[in-house]
Amino acid sequence: MAGSPRFVPNGYLVHPGYFGKQEDVQWKLATDLRCAQLLAHSIEQHELALAIHLRLKRDRTSVADVAVRFRDDDPREGAGLAQLWRNKLKGRVPAKPEDLTLWSWLTGIPRKNFDLKVLLDIEITPPRFPPAR
């Protein structure tokens, strides 16, 4: 039996049920660099999931219809794949980078990067290149 994921993207929302459903959401800010990375991933996953949700609603298409179209990229099929997509679209499971790229292509929304200052609740000096010697 598989364990729960190490991080749950909708856990970074003040109201986790809004993940992928509401445009105007409130995020819990990060307190360290690792949490900032996870928050950035969560925000991008939410924004792409929201775009997919709106498109599904507009086109009157189901998650299963869309998920099955991409089953060649995933060995799971049918109901299991649709359930996995539902869980990712609701932020219960983190989407893999490959998922986010696919969702970006599906929606026409480019992948994002977020400024560290927007993600943090405290001030942290970000890593810089070249590293100090």
Side-chain angles (χ1 to χ4, degrees), residues 7-62:
F7 100 93
V8 179
N10 70 14
Y12 282 85
L13 277 175
V14 173
H15 300 287
Y18 291 173
F19 195 97
K21 300 282 184 182
Q22 298 281 333
E23 186 172 356
D24 188 24
V25 294
Q26 187 177 1
W27 294 96
K28 299 174 187 174
L29 295 179
T31 55
D32 61 33
L33 191 58
R34 177 68 181 140
C35 286
Q37 291 171 312
L38 296 176
L39 176 58
H41 180 106
S42 299
I43 293 170
E44 182 177 24
Q45 183 173 339
H46 163 73
E47 290 177 354
L48 289 168
L50 176 62
I52 290 171
H53 175 77
L54 293 174
R55 179 154 306 168
L56 291 173
K57 189 174 181 178
R58 182 193 73 199
D59 296 344
R60 295 184 181 142
T61 307
S62 73

Side-chain angles (χ1 to χ4, degrees), residues 43 67 71 76 99:
I43 293 170
R71 76 171 162 255
R76 292 167 285 237
D99 295 323

Side-chain angles (χ1 to χ4, degrees), residues 102-127:
L102 183 64
W103 294 2
S104 172
W105 293 340
L106 184 65
T107 61
I109 297 172
R111 299 276 317 261
K112 287 191 174 178
N113 192 6
F114 299 90
D115 190 299
L116 185 59
K117 294 174 193 163
V118 183
L119 302 170
L120 290 169
D121 194 25
I122 60 173
E123 190 163 330
I124 293 178
T125 303

